Amino acid sequence: MKGYVVIDNEVIDQEAFSEFVGPVGEALAAHGGRFLVRGGNVAVLEGDWSPERLVIMEFDSRDAAVAFIESDDFRSLDELRHRALTSQLVVVDGYDG
């Protein structure tokens, strides 16, 4: 079953964000993940949730998704990430039907 990382980001420092984009993509690829959604126009059609910048990453499993978030590759970017963004992050199981 696939695993997904879903993040609602707000960019608070554009310069730091520009520095973060490349390395996080490289770390994601190194852990077998891929972006399904990486920003873009969000239209809230129902409810109170108003995501600023939505990111969805796909992995082969939930364990792989968690391993990426806990990896040295991702954690080494924490200082830069926290300068660049505020984030809400969840890991969720996919659906196999």
Side-chain angles (χ1 to χ4, degrees), residues 15-16 37 56 83:
E15 186 176 322
V37 175
I56 301 174
R83 264 194 303 127

Side-chain angles (χ1 to χ4, degrees), residues 38-61:
R38 193 174 191 181
N41 186 16
V42 175
V44 177
L45 302 179
E46 187 173 332
D48 295 334
W49 186 30
S50 296
E52 185 72 27
R53 184 177 185 282
L54 195 59
V55 176
I56 301 174
M57 302 172 189
E58 181 182 60
F59 294 85
D60 287 340
S61 67

